[in-house]
């Protein structure tokens, strides 16, 4: 799930796509069958 900042704050930035793809790869390697990145 990608975090998208809704508040006017520079403390937290959106999750980089590279990080999401790495998490997807790890999940698939661990045997999770349905891992989708969605609208990135």
């Amino acid at each position: 799930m990608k975090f998208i900042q809704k508040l006017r704050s520079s403390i937290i930035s959106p999750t980089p796509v590279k990080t999401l793809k790495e998490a997807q790869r790890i999940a698939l390697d661990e045997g999770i069958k349905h891992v989708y990145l969605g609208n990135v």
Side-chain angles (χ1 to χ4, degrees):
M1 176 180 293
K2 185 173 184 176
F3 173 78
I4 300 173
Q5 183 176 349
K6 296 285 184 183
L7 301 175
R8 292 183 182 179
S9 173
S10 62
I11 296 173
I12 302 172
S13 61
T15 306
V17 174
K18 180 179 178 182
T19 302
L20 296 172
K21 288 182 179 180
E22 178 68 12
Q24 180 188 40
R25 185 194 61 77
I26 291 169
L28 291 170
D29 288 349
E30 291 298 320
I32 298 174
K33 294 181 181 181
H34 305 286
V35 183
Y36 303 102
L37 293 183
N39 188 19
V40 293

